[in-house]
Amino acid sequence: MASSLKHPNARILIGEDAEETGRLAAQVLLDVVTTDPAAVIGLATGSSPLPLYSALAASGADFSAVSGFALDEYLGLPEGHPQSYAEVVRTEVTEPLGLDPALVHTPDPQGEDHAARAAAYDAAIAAAGGIDVQILGIGSNGHIGFNEPGSAFDSRTRVVPLAERTRQDNARFFGSLAEVPDQCVTQGIGTIFEARHLLLIAHGAHKADAVRLALEGPVGEQFPASVIQRHPQVTVVLDREAAARLGQRASD
Ligand code: GLP
């Protein structure tokens, strides 16, 4: 059965398994979209939000006026590559939820002038009125989006090299480690922090340390996800294993 955990830095919802975390996280988004059918949602890729997207698709809610902005995108993959986040967002989010493709954006990884394209991405988020709910996974090294350890808390959307550990973690999505790009474009920590509500999702024992450090470790740029401790509206949805190392296990 789902429970919640009193915590000074976030509202924490705990599901028995990934499927239940998907339903709990979906309820957070459905509440927002019911209030504002044209809400702006920040979209995360990776495996953590997949149960959420399945639950949203199953809800039958109307997402046709919702705008989406992906957190990040690999650099150096050919257009249409199945592991490009533009493709992942299209197949996992836009199509199953019935979003309008014209309202769904991913950072543009093609071409040369990345600084201008990155600035345009931040400008497009601002022009849409800012992000209402930013969905986040967490890397085992504390990255959010692709903001690796050391990323400035005031960073904006930009090109960054991928940490070796992240390339190894993400190799499972590719044929081999060599095929994983070594650069990407990511929303900055500053960009992410401007979202009005952060919704962080994690499953599994291998995320328990990262979740503990994000919520209870020292706040600093060496562990990017720790920035959530400074944000005024954070919901963290975990399965039991990912929640296992948090203090104060008093369920209410
Ligand atoms: C990738 C994404 C992140 C994501 C992270 C965790 O590196 N760029 O946005 O949060 O992976 O992935 P997973 O949810 O598969 O553990």
Side-chain angles (χ1 to χ4, degrees), residues 45-48 71-72 85 137-138 143 145-146 166 170 172 207:
T45 49
S47 50
S48 303
L71 272 174
D72 43 21
Y85 287 161
I138 181 170
H143 76 228
F146 271 134
T166 302
N170 288 4
R172 68 189 192 280
K207 293 288 175 80

Side-chain angles (χ1 to χ4, degrees), residues 69-74 86 105-110 121 157 185-187:
F69 285 89
L71 272 174
D72 43 21
E73 178 59 289
Y74 290 114
H105 312 267
T106 41
D108 179 3
Q110 310 298 339
Y121 198 70
T157 300
V185 193
T186 183
Q187 284 189 34

Side-chain angles (χ1 to χ4, degrees), residues 74-75 160-164 167 179-184:
Y74 290 114
L75 234 64
V160 294
L162 289 177
E164 206 41 41
R167 293 187 65 245
E179 290 171 53
V180 184
D182 49 22
Q183 284 194 305
C184 67

Side-chain angles (χ1 to χ4, degrees), residues 45-63:
T45 49
S47 50
S48 303
L50 294 179
L52 158 64
Y53 297 140
S54 301
L56 288 175
S59 75
D62 179 5
F63 298 105

Side-chain angles (χ1 to χ4, degrees), residues 10 45 53 58 85 87-88 90-91 100 105 125 134 145 157 160 172 222 228 236 240 242:
T45 49
Y53 297 140
Y85 287 161
E87 277 300 291
V88 173
R90 183 175 68 77
T91 56
D100 176 353
H105 312 267
I125 293 173
Q134 175 63 60
T157 300
V160 294
R172 68 189 192 280
Q222 282 314 313
I228 69 172
V236 179
R240 293 221 164 266

